[in-house]
Amino acid sequence: MERGYVLHSRHFRDSSVIVNLLVDGVGRVDAVARLGSAKNSIRSILQPFQPLIFQLHGKTDLKNLKQVEAASPAVPLCGDCLYSGLYLNELLIRSLTVQHSAESLFYEYHRTLIAMATEFEQSQLRYFEHALLKELGTMPSLDFDPSDAPITPSGFYRLDQDHGFTPVITTEFNRHKFFTGEMLVALNQRALSVEHFHEAKKLMRLLLAPVLGDKPLHSRSLFVKRTKG
């Protein structure tokens, strides 16, 4: 039996759905699931944030999902946590393909959901984004600059997408153009504080842009509408 989460589902045909899954030890898997009769339908558990156990069959990229059961109660997300969870799901669907093995991301995803359900902080999203970018091989080193010198909390750095974080000399007038070593070290150590949130979010937007492309994330627009409403 496998275990995983549904990231997204959509109607297929004949009371079936295509589900995008994040599977422990595997990564993203796309599969077809038959919902079953009204009395025995599994529709209610094929929902985001519901831990599942199941079997996967088939030799093509589109598997068949069988013997689906709830592994435990759904992770309770509401308000900002719900929108943030939907953001994580969309981020995974947009950045991972079924050909990309992402064995370690299930644990990071599960840990992030549990943390958000307990007490939500922006830092949880930044840590997950960091883990995703490392899995994709596009996260620059947070330990060393391009000359192999350690990144220090007292330094300032310019992001070079191809080479990493290059140290720079700053003045009071141009510091906003660069990233502080303090934030980079804190991100690397999973120790971001409130004063780092804006800077860390700016960094992750820059790093994710080449991965996500020009199409806006639907979950971001939902969050903007919520905050304006």
Side-chain angles (χ1 to χ4, degrees):
M1 299 290 282
E2 309 280 0
R3 64 173 182 166
Y5 283 93
V6 173
L7 301 176
H8 182 68
S9 65
R10 62 187 185 278
H11 179 74
F12 183 45
R13 62 175 182 232
D14 301 331
S15 299
S16 297
V17 294
I18 293 179
V19 291
N20 309 121
L21 300 156
L22 185 66
V23 181
D24 186 15
V26 179
R28 174 176 170 177
V29 175
D30 293 348
V32 176
R34 291 190 62 81
L35 296 176
S37 62
K39 183 178 180 180
N40 299 309
S41 176
I42 61 172
R43 184 187 297 275
S44 63
I45 62 171
L46 289 183
Q47 303 294 330
F49 321 125
Q50 169 67 65
L52 300 173
I53 55 175
F54 46 82
Q55 289 187 354
L56 292 168
H57 298 276
K59 296 181 179 181
T60 66
D61 286 343
L62 187 61
K63 308 298 184 184
N64 290 305
L65 192 66
K66 304 286 187 179
Q67 295 184 292
V68 185
E69 301 176 15
S72 62
V75 180
L77 299 180
C78 60
D80 289 349
C81 297
L82 174 60
Y83 286 90
S84 296
L86 294 174
Y87 166 71
L88 295 185
N89 287 5
E90 190 174 10
L91 195 60
L92 286 166
I93 292 170
R94 288 276 296 274
S95 61
L96 293 180
T97 67
V98 293
Q99 287 80 28
H100 187 110
S101 296
E103 297 92 341
S104 65
L105 279 180
F106 176 86
Y107 172 72
E108 289 292 340
Y109 178 80
H110 176 73
R111 176 166 69 166
T112 303
L113 292 187
I114 297 301
M116 290 196 305
T118 303
E119 185 177 2
F120 175 70
E121 287 187 359
Q122 285 189 37
S123 57
Q124 295 152 0
L125 301 181
R126 306 293 84 85
Y127 301 146
F128 184 81
E129 292 164 338
H130 179 217
L132 174 61
L133 289 165
K134 287 179 68 175
E135 183 67 42
L136 294 173
T138 60
M139 182 68 209
S141 173
L142 293 175
D143 294 304
F144 301 98
D145 68 22
S147 66
D148 289 331
I151 290 178
T152 63
S154 59
F156 288 83
Y157 297 85
R158 172 176 55 84
L159 173 63
D160 184 319
Q161 295 278 10
D162 296 323
H163 299 98
F165 294 100
T166 302
V168 294
I169 297 175
T170 68
T171 68
E172 290 294 335
F173 301 102
N174 67 0
R175 287 189 177 188
H176 67 281
K177 296 181 179 180
F178 307 113
F179 295 101
T180 63
E182 180 181 308
M183 183 277 291
L184 297 177
V185 170
L187 175 62
N188 198 29
Q189 296 177 351
R190 299 180 69 93
L192 291 173
S193 55
V194 174
E195 56 265 27
H196 301 137
F197 286 174
H198 177 75
E199 188 183 0
K201 183 176 182 179
K202 175 185 173 183
L203 172 62
M204 288 304 171
R205 288 285 180 94
L206 287 173
L207 291 171
L208 285 167
V211 176
L212 298 175
D214 296 331
K215 184 180 177 182
L217 289 173
H218 182 59
S219 52
R220 281 181 183 164
S221 64
L222 289 175
F223 189 82
V224 170
K225 290 178 182 177
R226 171 180 167 80
T227 55
K228 289 182 178 179

